[in-house]
Amino acid sequence: KSASHAFPIRSIVGDIMYSALSVRPELTFATTYLARHLTLQNEATWKMARKLQKYYAATADLKLHLNGRPSAATKGFHVYCDSDYASDPISRRSYGGFIVFYNGNPIYWRTRLSKLVCTSSTHAELDAAYNAVKEVTWLYQIINDLKTQLRQPRMKTMHLHQYNQSTMSLLH
């Protein structure tokens, strides 16, 4: 038997990937991490895939809940971003991710391995914030264009939420 038949990791990742990209943002990091390591058909990767599969099955009833009426605090365009410094054990690069909420509802999310080898957690957090803003600017502009077409007031600000103290001091 070939290694891909002994450990059907590709099949598990494929089964979960659609949910991760469309309705289950909490699966995105684990699924994309495993997708990057599909060629590593070993026991450790197989255990990670099985753990993800068990979590997915145990939480199948979880769903995104959409808010019909946002509160004043959640109204508008909010981007939450985070990073984990040098967490990839092979390349020592950081993972960054973000989720975008519009009027309290999640509309877009992504996690990715940084293209940089960051020299500090502040550097990793700044990289994640930069990539988040760079990636969602088009979405912000599309929503504003739609609001213009519908004769609704345009959004004036994009709120970026970042919780690393040193990064916050540099951003403000």
Side-chain angles (χ1 to χ4, degrees):
K1 241 182 178 185
S2 71
S4 63
H5 290 355
F7 300 116
I9 297 167
R10 188 177 307 270
S11 175
I12 292 170
V13 170
D15 289 344
I16 299 173
M17 186 64 79
Y18 175 78
S19 290
L21 296 176
S22 59
V23 294
R24 299 282 302 272
E26 86 279 8
L27 298 172
T28 307
F29 173 78
T31 308
T32 55
Y33 183 84
L34 277 172
R36 285 185 52 239
H37 297 90
L38 284 176
T39 57
L40 296 176
Q41 298 286 326
N42 59 32
E43 190 70 28
T45 310
W46 171 243
K47 285 180 181 176
M48 284 189 282
R50 287 293 295 148
K51 189 173 185 177
L52 177 62
Q53 188 178 41
K54 287 177 184 176
Y55 172 81
Y56 182 66
T59 60
D61 59 334
L62 290 181
K63 297 174 179 68
L64 288 176
H65 294 280
L66 303 179
N67 298 321
R69 296 193 176 141
S71 68
T74 62
K75 196 162 180 74
F77 197 86
H78 295 265
V79 180
Y80 295 84
C81 63
D82 197 12
S83 176
D84 61 346
Y85 170 59
S87 62
D88 187 84
I90 297 167
S91 67
R92 302 306 300 159
R93 291 187 291 169
S94 305
Y95 282 95
F98 63 89
I99 186 165
V100 178
F101 286 85
Y102 179 65
N103 288 341
N105 298 301
I107 59 170
Y108 186 67
W109 54 85
R110 169 131 338 142
T111 60
R112 62 183 274 283
L113 186 62
S114 175
K115 294 178 181 177
L116 306 172
V117 177
C118 297
T119 55
S120 68
S121 61
T122 301
H123 187 191
E125 297 285 351
L126 280 171
D127 182 54
Y130 168 77
N131 285 312
V133 171
K134 182 177 72 172
E135 279 201 50
V136 301
T137 299
W138 65 271
L139 186 59
Y140 178 80
Q141 291 171 342
I142 287 174
I143 291 172
N144 267 333
D145 289 346
L146 289 172
K147 285 175 140 310
T148 301
Q149 293 294 320
L150 298 171
R151 294 192 169 103
Q152 294 179 358
R154 295 173 60 90
M155 295 181 292
K156 292 181 176 53
T157 59
M158 176 190 310
H159 303 280
L160 178 65
H161 302 274
Q162 215 298 327
Y163 298 105
N164 179 287
Q165 293 297 316
S166 58
T167 304
M168 286 171 42
S169 68
L170 289 171
L171 291 173
H172 295 287

Short mmCIF file of all heavy atoms in Angstrom, two decimals, residues 17-77:
data_model
loop_
_atom_site.label_atom_id
_atom_site.label_comp_id
_atom_site.label_asym_id
_atom_site.label_seq_id
_atom_site.Cartn_x
_atom_site.Cartn_y
_atom_site.Cartn_z
N MET A 17 -12.13 21.36 4.17
CA MET A 17 -11.71 22.64 3.59
C MET A 17 -12.90 23.53 3.20
O MET A 17 -12.88 24.73 3.46
CB MET A 17 -10.82 22.41 2.37
CG MET A 17 -10.24 23.67 1.79
SD MET A 17 -9.11 24.55 2.88
CE MET A 17 -7.63 23.59 2.67
N TYR A 18 -13.94 22.96 2.59
CA TYR A 18 -15.07 23.78 2.17
C TYR A 18 -15.70 24.49 3.37
O TYR A 18 -15.96 25.69 3.33
CB TYR A 18 -16.12 22.94 1.45
CG TYR A 18 -17.36 23.74 1.12
CD1 TYR A 18 -17.36 24.62 0.04
CD2 TYR A 18 -18.50 23.66 1.91
CE1 TYR A 18 -18.47 25.40 -0.25
CE2 TYR A 18 -19.62 24.42 1.62
CZ TYR A 18 -19.60 25.28 0.54
OH TYR A 18 -20.70 26.04 0.26
N SER A 19 -15.94 23.76 4.44
CA SER A 19 -16.52 24.37 5.64
C SER A 19 -15.61 25.44 6.21
O SER A 19 -16.07 26.50 6.65
CB SER A 19 -16.80 23.31 6.71
OG SER A 19 -17.85 22.48 6.30
N ALA A 20 -14.31 25.17 6.22
CA ALA A 20 -13.36 26.13 6.77
C ALA A 20 -13.38 27.44 6.00
O ALA A 20 -13.26 28.50 6.58
CB ALA A 20 -11.95 25.53 6.77
N LEU A 21 -13.54 27.36 4.71
CA LEU A 21 -13.50 28.56 3.87
C LEU A 21 -14.84 29.26 3.76
O LEU A 21 -14.89 30.43 3.40
CB LEU A 21 -12.98 28.21 2.48
CG LEU A 21 -11.54 27.70 2.45
CD1 LEU A 21 -11.15 27.29 1.03
CD2 LEU A 21 -10.58 28.74 2.99
N SER A 22 -15.94 28.57 4.07
CA SER A 22 -17.24 29.20 3.84
C SER A 22 -18.03 29.49 5.11
O SER A 22 -18.68 30.54 5.19
CB SER A 22 -18.08 28.35 2.89
OG SER A 22 -18.27 27.06 3.44
N VAL A 23 -18.02 28.60 6.10
CA VAL A 23 -18.89 28.83 7.26
C VAL A 23 -18.26 28.53 8.62
O VAL A 23 -18.88 28.77 9.65
CB VAL A 23 -20.22 28.02 7.15
CG1 VAL A 23 -21.06 28.52 6.01
CG2 VAL A 23 -19.94 26.54 7.03
N ARG A 24 -17.06 28.02 8.66
CA ARG A 24 -16.44 27.65 9.94
C ARG A 24 -15.05 28.28 10.06
O ARG A 24 -14.02 27.62 9.87
CB ARG A 24 -16.33 26.13 10.07
CG ARG A 24 -17.64 25.34 10.05
CD ARG A 24 -18.37 25.39 11.38
NE ARG A 24 -17.61 24.90 12.49
CZ ARG A 24 -17.56 23.62 12.88
NH1 ARG A 24 -18.25 22.70 12.23
NH2 ARG A 24 -16.85 23.28 13.93
N PRO A 25 -14.96 29.58 10.41
CA PRO A 25 -13.66 30.24 10.45
C PRO A 25 -12.68 29.62 11.44
O PRO A 25 -11.47 29.72 11.25
CB PRO A 25 -13.99 31.68 10.82
CG PRO A 25 -15.38 31.68 11.32
CD PRO A 25 -16.06 30.48 10.76
N GLU A 26 -13.15 28.95 12.50
CA GLU A 26 -12.24 28.39 13.48
C GLU A 26 -11.47 27.19 12.93
O GLU A 26 -10.47 26.78 13.51
CB GLU A 26 -12.99 28.01 14.78
CG GLU A 26 -13.62 26.64 14.79
CD GLU A 26 -14.98 26.52 14.10
OE1 GLU A 26 -15.44 27.47 13.43
OE2 GLU A 26 -15.59 25.46 14.23
N LEU A 27 -11.89 26.66 11.80
CA LEU A 27 -11.20 25.52 11.18
C LEU A 27 -10.12 25.96 10.19
O LEU A 27 -9.32 25.14 9.76
CB LEU A 27 -12.20 24.64 10.44
CG LEU A 27 -13.30 23.98 11.27
CD1 LEU A 27 -14.30 23.31 10.35
CD2 LEU A 27 -12.71 22.99 12.24
N THR A 28 -10.10 27.24 9.85
CA THR A 28 -9.23 27.71 8.77
C THR A 28 -7.76 27.44 9.05
O THR A 28 -7.04 26.92 8.19
CB THR A 28 -9.45 29.22 8.53
OG1 THR A 28 -10.84 29.44 8.32
CG2 THR A 28 -8.67 29.69 7.34
N PHE A 29 -7.27 27.80 10.23
CA PHE A 29 -5.84 27.63 10.51
C PHE A 29 -5.43 26.17 10.44
O PHE A 29 -4.48 25.81 9.75
CB PHE A 29 -5.48 28.20 11.89
CG PHE A 29 -4.07 27.88 12.28
CD1 PHE A 29 -3.02 28.61 11.75
CD2 PHE A 29 -3.79 26.84 13.15
CE1 PHE A 29 -1.71 28.30 12.08
CE2 PHE A 29 -2.48 26.53 13.49
CZ PHE A 29 -1.44 27.26 12.94
N ALA A 30 -6.13 25.31 11.15
CA ALA A 30 -5.76 23.89 11.19
C ALA A 30 -5.84 23.24 9.82
O ALA A 30 -4.97 22.45 9.44
CB ALA A 30 -6.66 23.14 12.18
N THR A 31 -6.86 23.60 9.05
CA THR A 31 -7.03 23.01 7.72
C THR A 31 -5.94 23.47 6.77
O THR A 31 -5.36 22.65 6.05
CB THR A 31 -8.41 23.37 7.15
OG1 THR A 31 -9.40 23.03 8.13
CG2 THR A 31 -8.70 22.60 5.89
N THR A 32 -5.64 24.76 6.76
CA THR A 32 -4.59 25.23 5.85
C THR A 32 -3.21 24.74 6.29
O THR A 32 -2.35 24.48 5.45
CB THR A 32 -4.59 26.78 5.73
OG1 THR A 32 -4.49 27.35 7.03
CG2 THR A 32 -5.84 27.27 5.05
N TYR A 33 -3.00 24.59 7.59
CA TYR A 33 -1.73 24.05 8.08
C TYR A 33 -1.55 22.61 7.57
O TYR A 33 -0.49 22.26 7.06
CB TYR A 33 -1.68 24.08 9.61
CG TYR A 33 -0.36 23.60 10.16
CD1 TYR A 33 0.71 24.48 10.28
CD2 TYR A 33 -0.18 22.28 10.55
CE1 TYR A 33 1.93 24.05 10.78
CE2 TYR A 33 1.04 21.85 11.05
CZ TYR A 33 2.08 22.73 11.17
OH TYR A 33 3.30 22.30 11.64
N LEU A 34 -2.58 21.80 7.71
CA LEU A 34 -2.49 20.42 7.21
C LEU A 34 -2.34 20.38 5.69
O LEU A 34 -1.62 19.54 5.16
CB LEU A 34 -3.72 19.62 7.64
CG LEU A 34 -3.67 19.05 9.04
CD1 LEU A 34 -5.01 18.44 9.41
CD2 LEU A 34 -2.58 18.00 9.17
N ALA A 35 -3.03 21.29 5.00
CA ALA A 35 -2.92 21.32 3.54
C ALA A 35 -1.49 21.60 3.09
O ALA A 35 -1.03 21.07 2.08
CB ALA A 35 -3.88 22.37 2.97
N ARG A 36 -0.77 22.43 3.87
CA ARG A 36 0.63 22.71 3.55
C ARG A 36 1.53 21.49 3.75
O ARG A 36 2.64 21.43 3.23
CB ARG A 36 1.16 23.85 4.43
CG ARG A 36 0.64 25.20 4.01
CD ARG A 36 1.25 26.34 4.81
NE ARG A 36 2.69 26.29 4.81
CZ ARG A 36 3.42 26.20 5.93
NH1 ARG A 36 2.86 26.12 7.10
NH2 ARG A 36 4.72 26.17 5.85
N HIS A 37 1.08 20.53 4.55
CA HIS A 37 1.90 19.38 4.88
C HIS A 37 1.33 18.07 4.33
O HIS A 37 1.53 17.01 4.92
CB HIS A 37 2.07 19.28 6.40
CG HIS A 37 2.78 20.46 6.98
ND1 HIS A 37 2.13 21.59 7.41
CD2 HIS A 37 4.11 20.70 7.15
CE1 HIS A 37 3.01 22.47 7.84
NE2 HIS A 37 4.21 21.97 7.68
N LEU A 38 0.61 18.14 3.21
CA LEU A 38 0.00 16.94 2.65
C LEU A 38 1.03 15.90 2.21
O LEU A 38 0.74 14.71 2.20
CB LEU A 38 -0.90 17.30 1.46
CG LEU A 38 -2.24 17.91 1.83
CD1 LEU A 38 -2.99 18.32 0.57
CD2 LEU A 38 -3.07 16.95 2.65
N THR A 39 2.21 16.35 1.86
CA THR A 39 3.22 15.39 1.41
C THR A 39 3.89 14.67 2.58
O THR A 39 4.57 13.67 2.36
CB THR A 39 4.30 16.09 0.56
OG1 THR A 39 4.88 17.15 1.33
CG2 THR A 39 3.69 16.65 -0.71
N LEU A 40 3.71 15.16 3.79
CA LEU A 40 4.28 14.49 4.96
C LEU A 40 3.32 13.41 5.43
O LEU A 40 2.50 13.62 6.30
CB LEU A 40 4.51 15.49 6.10
CG LEU A 40 5.51 16.61 5.87
CD1 LEU A 40 5.52 17.54 7.05
CD2 LEU A 40 6.90 16.03 5.63
N GLN A 41 3.41 12.28 4.84
CA GLN A 41 2.53 11.16 5.19
C GLN A 41 3.18 10.37 6.33
O GLN A 41 3.70 9.29 6.14
CB GLN A 41 2.29 10.27 3.97
CG GLN A 41 1.59 10.98 2.84
CD GLN A 41 0.12 11.20 3.14
OE1 GLN A 41 -0.53 10.39 3.78
NE2 GLN A 41 -0.41 12.31 2.67
N ASN A 42 3.15 10.96 7.54
CA ASN A 42 3.75 10.27 8.68
C ASN A 42 2.74 10.20 9.83
O ASN A 42 1.65 10.75 9.76
CB ASN A 42 5.05 10.96 9.12
CG ASN A 42 4.83 12.41 9.50
OD1 ASN A 42 3.79 12.79 10.01
ND2 ASN A 42 5.82 13.24 9.25
N GLU A 43 3.11 9.56 10.89
CA GLU A 43 2.21 9.33 12.02
C GLU A 43 1.79 10.64 12.69
O GLU A 43 0.62 10.80 13.07
CB GLU A 43 2.91 8.41 13.04
CG GLU A 43 1.99 7.91 14.14
CD GLU A 43 0.95 6.91 13.66
OE1 GLU A 43 1.19 6.20 12.68
OE2 GLU A 43 -0.13 6.87 14.29
N ALA A 44 2.70 11.59 12.83
CA ALA A 44 2.38 12.85 13.50
C ALA A 44 1.34 13.64 12.70
O ALA A 44 0.38 14.18 13.27
CB ALA A 44 3.64 13.69 13.70
N THR A 45 1.51 13.71 11.38
CA THR A 45 0.56 14.43 10.54
C THR A 45 -0.79 13.72 10.55
O THR A 45 -1.84 14.37 10.58
CB THR A 45 1.10 14.55 9.11
OG1 THR A 45 2.43 15.04 9.15
CG2 THR A 45 0.26 15.49 8.28
N TRP A 46 -0.76 12.40 10.54
CA TRP A 46 -1.99 11.62 10.59
C TRP A 46 -2.75 11.89 11.90
O TRP A 46 -3.97 12.06 11.90
CB TRP A 46 -1.68 10.14 10.43
CG TRP A 46 -2.86 9.24 10.68
CD1 TRP A 46 -2.99 8.31 11.67
CD2 TRP A 46 -4.07 9.18 9.92
NE1 TRP A 46 -4.21 7.70 11.58
CE2 TRP A 46 -4.89 8.22 10.50
CE3 TRP A 46 -4.54 9.88 8.82
CZ2 TRP A 46 -6.16 7.91 10.03
CZ3 TRP A 46 -5.81 9.57 8.34
CH2 TRP A 46 -6.59 8.59 8.93
N LYS A 47 -2.03 11.97 13.00
CA LYS A 47 -2.68 12.25 14.29
C LYS A 47 -3.32 13.64 14.29
O LYS A 47 -4.42 13.83 14.82
CB LYS A 47 -1.68 12.13 15.44
CG LYS A 47 -1.35 10.69 15.78
CD LYS A 47 -0.36 10.62 16.93
CE LYS A 47 -0.04 9.16 17.23
NZ LYS A 47 0.98 9.03 18.27
N MET A 48 -2.63 14.64 13.69
CA MET A 48 -3.22 15.99 13.59
C MET A 48 -4.50 15.96 12.75
O MET A 48 -5.50 16.59 13.11
CB MET A 48 -2.22 16.97 12.98
CG MET A 48 -1.14 17.43 13.92
SD MET A 48 -0.16 18.78 13.22
CE MET A 48 0.90 17.89 12.10
N ALA A 49 -4.45 15.23 11.63
CA ALA A 49 -5.63 15.15 10.75
C ALA A 49 -6.79 14.47 11.46
O ALA A 49 -7.94 14.92 11.37
CB ALA A 49 -5.26 14.41 9.46
N ARG A 50 -6.52 13.40 12.17
CA ARG A 50 -7.59 12.69 12.91
C ARG A 50 -8.16 13.57 14.02
O ARG A 50 -9.37 13.57 14.26
CB ARG A 50 -7.06 11.38 13.50
CG ARG A 50 -6.83 10.30 12.49
CD ARG A 50 -8.11 9.78 11.87
NE ARG A 50 -8.91 9.13 12.90
CZ ARG A 50 -10.23 9.10 12.92
NH1 ARG A 50 -10.91 9.67 11.95
NH2 ARG A 50 -10.88 8.50 13.88
N LYS A 51 -7.32 14.33 14.70
CA LYS A 51 -7.79 15.22 15.76
C LYS A 51 -8.71 16.30 15.16
O LYS A 51 -9.76 16.60 15.72
CB LYS A 51 -6.60 15.87 16.46
CG LYS A 51 -6.95 16.64 17.70
CD LYS A 51 -5.69 17.09 18.42
CE LYS A 51 -6.04 17.75 19.73
NZ LYS A 51 -4.86 18.13 20.49
N LEU A 52 -8.32 16.85 14.02
CA LEU A 52 -9.16 17.83 13.34
C LEU A 52 -10.49 17.21 12.91
O LEU A 52 -11.55 17.80 13.08
CB LEU A 52 -8.43 18.42 12.13
CG LEU A 52 -9.22 19.42 11.28
CD1 LEU A 52 -9.61 20.65 12.11
CD2 LEU A 52 -8.42 19.82 10.07
N GLN A 53 -10.42 16.01 12.38
CA GLN A 53 -11.63 15.32 11.93
C GLN A 53 -12.57 15.05 13.11
O GLN A 53 -13.79 15.24 13.00
CB GLN A 53 -11.24 14.01 11.24
CG GLN A 53 -12.40 13.30 10.58
CD GLN A 53 -11.95 12.04 9.87
OE1 GLN A 53 -11.11 11.31 10.39
NE2 GLN A 53 -12.48 11.80 8.69
N LYS A 54 -12.03 14.65 14.25
CA LYS A 54 -12.85 14.40 15.44
C LYS A 54 -13.48 15.70 15.94
O LYS A 54 -14.66 15.72 16.33
CB LYS A 54 -12.02 13.74 16.54
CG LYS A 54 -11.70 12.30 16.24
CD LYS A 54 -10.81 11.70 17.31
CE LYS A 54 -10.42 10.29 16.95
NZ LYS A 54 -9.48 9.70 17.91
N TYR A 55 -12.72 16.79 15.95
CA TYR A 55 -13.26 18.09 16.37
C TYR A 55 -14.39 18.50 15.43
O TYR A 55 -15.45 18.95 15.87
CB TYR A 55 -12.16 19.16 16.38
CG TYR A 55 -12.71 20.54 16.61
CD1 TYR A 55 -13.01 20.98 17.90
CD2 TYR A 55 -12.95 21.40 15.55
CE1 TYR A 55 -13.54 22.25 18.11
CE2 TYR A 55 -13.48 22.66 15.75
CZ TYR A 55 -13.77 23.08 17.03
OH TYR A 55 -14.31 24.32 17.23
N TYR A 56 -14.16 18.34 14.14
CA TYR A 56 -15.17 18.72 13.14
C TYR A 56 -16.46 17.93 13.34
O TYR A 56 -17.56 18.50 13.30
CB TYR A 56 -14.59 18.48 11.74
CG TYR A 56 -15.49 18.87 10.61
CD1 TYR A 56 -15.84 20.19 10.40
CD2 TYR A 56 -15.99 17.91 9.73
CE1 TYR A 56 -16.66 20.56 9.33
CE2 TYR A 56 -16.80 18.26 8.67
CZ TYR A 56 -17.14 19.58 8.48
OH TYR A 56 -17.95 19.93 7.44
N ALA A 57 -16.34 16.63 13.59
CA ALA A 57 -17.53 15.80 13.81
C ALA A 57 -18.23 16.17 15.11
O ALA A 57 -19.46 16.22 15.17
CB ALA A 57 -17.13 14.33 13.81
N ALA A 58 -17.45 16.44 16.16
CA ALA A 58 -18.05 16.75 17.47
C ALA A 58 -18.72 18.12 17.49
O ALA A 58 -19.59 18.37 18.33
CB ALA A 58 -16.99 16.68 18.55
N THR A 59 -18.33 19.01 16.60
CA THR A 59 -18.87 20.36 16.60
C THR A 59 -19.68 20.65 15.33
O THR A 59 -19.83 21.81 14.93
CB THR A 59 -17.74 21.40 16.73
OG1 THR A 59 -16.85 21.24 15.63
CG2 THR A 59 -17.00 21.25 18.04
N ALA A 60 -20.23 19.62 14.73
CA ALA A 60 -20.97 19.77 13.48
C ALA A 60 -22.18 20.68 13.62
O ALA A 60 -22.62 21.29 12.64
CB ALA A 60 -21.41 18.40 12.96
N ASP A 61 -22.70 20.84 14.83
CA ASP A 61 -23.87 21.68 15.03
C ASP A 61 -23.52 23.16 15.20
O ASP A 61 -24.42 24.00 15.28
CB ASP A 61 -24.68 21.19 16.23
CG ASP A 61 -23.87 21.19 17.51
OD1 ASP A 61 -22.63 21.07 17.44
OD2 ASP A 61 -24.47 21.31 18.60
N LEU A 62 -22.23 23.52 15.24
CA LEU A 62 -21.85 24.92 15.34
C LEU A 62 -22.14 25.64 14.02
O LEU A 62 -21.92 25.10 12.96
CB LEU A 62 -20.36 25.07 15.66
CG LEU A 62 -19.91 24.66 17.04
CD1 LEU A 62 -18.41 24.89 17.19
CD2 LEU A 62 -20.66 25.43 18.12
N LYS A 63 -22.65 26.85 14.15
CA LYS A 63 -22.97 27.64 12.96
C LYS A 63 -22.61 29.09 13.22
O LYS A 63 -22.55 29.53 14.36
CB LYS A 63 -24.47 27.54 12.67
CG LYS A 63 -24.95 26.16 12.34
CD LYS A 63 -26.47 26.15 12.22
CE LYS A 63 -27.00 24.81 11.87
NZ LYS A 63 -26.88 23.81 12.88
N LEU A 64 -22.43 29.84 12.15
CA LEU A 64 -22.28 31.28 12.27
C LEU A 64 -23.67 31.87 12.53
O LEU A 64 -24.64 31.49 11.89
CB LEU A 64 -21.73 31.89 10.98
CG LEU A 64 -20.28 31.61 10.66
CD1 LEU A 64 -19.93 32.21 9.30
CD2 LEU A 64 -19.38 32.19 11.71
N HIS A 65 -23.75 32.76 13.48
CA HIS A 65 -25.02 33.43 13.77
C HIS A 65 -24.94 34.86 13.28
O HIS A 65 -24.00 35.60 13.61
CB HIS A 65 -25.31 33.41 15.27
CG HIS A 65 -25.54 32.03 15.80
ND1 HIS A 65 -26.75 31.38 15.67
CD2 HIS A 65 -24.72 31.15 16.42
CE1 HIS A 65 -26.66 30.18 16.19
NE2 HIS A 65 -25.42 30.02 16.65
N LEU A 66 -25.91 35.26 12.49
CA LEU A 66 -25.93 36.59 11.94
C LEU A 66 -26.84 37.48 12.77
O LEU A 66 -27.92 37.07 13.18
CB LEU A 66 -26.39 36.57 10.49
CG LEU A 66 -25.55 35.67 9.57
CD1 LEU A 66 -26.10 35.70 8.15
CD2 LEU A 66 -24.10 36.09 9.57
N ASN A 67 -26.38 38.70 13.03
CA ASN A 67 -27.14 39.66 13.82
C ASN A 67 -28.02 40.50 12.91
O ASN A 67 -27.52 41.12 11.99
CB ASN A 67 -26.19 40.59 14.59
CG ASN A 67 -25.32 39.84 15.56
OD1 ASN A 67 -25.77 38.91 16.19
ND2 ASN A 67 -24.07 40.24 15.66
N GLY A 68 -29.30 40.53 13.21
CA GLY A 68 -30.21 41.35 12.42
C GLY A 68 -30.06 42.82 12.72
O GLY A 68 -30.12 43.66 11.83
N ARG A 69 -29.82 43.17 13.98
CA ARG A 69 -29.68 44.57 14.38
C ARG A 69 -28.41 44.74 15.20
O ARG A 69 -28.37 44.36 16.37
CB ARG A 69 -30.89 45.00 15.19
CG ARG A 69 -32.14 44.96 14.35
CD ARG A 69 -33.26 45.66 15.02
NE ARG A 69 -34.38 45.65 14.09
CZ ARG A 69 -35.61 45.47 14.45
NH1 ARG A 69 -35.92 45.30 15.70
NH2 ARG A 69 -36.55 45.47 13.54
N PRO A 70 -27.39 45.32 14.61
CA PRO A 70 -26.13 45.47 15.35
C PRO A 70 -26.24 46.56 16.41
O PRO A 70 -27.00 47.51 16.27
CB PRO A 70 -25.14 45.88 14.27
CG PRO A 70 -25.98 46.54 13.22
CD PRO A 70 -27.31 45.83 13.26
N SER A 71 -25.47 46.38 17.47
CA SER A 71 -25.39 47.42 18.50
C SER A 71 -24.49 48.55 17.99
O SER A 71 -23.82 48.41 16.97
CB SER A 71 -24.83 46.85 19.79
OG SER A 71 -23.47 46.50 19.61
N ALA A 72 -24.46 49.63 18.71
CA ALA A 72 -23.61 50.76 18.31
C ALA A 72 -22.15 50.36 18.26
O ALA A 72 -21.39 50.83 17.42
CB ALA A 72 -23.81 51.92 19.27
N ALA A 73 -21.73 49.46 19.17
CA ALA A 73 -20.33 49.03 19.23
C ALA A 73 -19.94 48.15 18.04
O ALA A 73 -18.77 48.12 17.65
CB ALA A 73 -20.06 48.29 20.53
N THR A 74 -20.89 47.42 17.47
CA THR A 74 -20.56 46.50 16.38
C THR A 74 -20.96 47.05 15.02
O THR A 74 -20.70 46.40 14.01
CB THR A 74 -21.24 45.14 16.59
OG1 THR A 74 -22.67 45.32 16.60
CG2 THR A 74 -20.77 44.47 17.86
N LYS A 75 -21.57 48.20 14.97
CA LYS A 75 -22.00 48.77 13.69
C LYS A 75 -20.78 49.20 12.88
O LYS A 75 -19.82 49.71 13.40
CB LYS A 75 -22.90 49.97 13.96
CG LYS A 75 -23.71 50.39 12.75
CD LYS A 75 -24.86 51.26 13.19
CE LYS A 75 -25.69 51.71 12.04
NZ LYS A 75 -26.52 50.69 11.46
N GLY A 76 -20.84 48.97 11.61
CA GLY A 76 -19.77 49.38 10.72
C GLY A 76 -18.84 48.24 10.35
O GLY A 76 -19.20 47.07 10.42
N PHE A 77 -17.63 48.59 9.95
CA PHE A 77 -16.64 47.67 9.39
C PHE A 77 -15.52 47.47 10.40
O PHE A 77 -14.77 48.41 10.68
CB PHE A 77 -16.11 48.30 8.09
CG PHE A 77 -15.40 47.36 7.18
CD1 PHE A 77 -16.09 46.60 6.26
CD2 PHE A 77 -14.02 47.27 7.22
CE1 PHE A 77 -15.43 45.77 5.38
CE2 PHE A 77 -13.35 46.43 6.35
CZ PHE A 77 -14.06 45.68 5.44
#
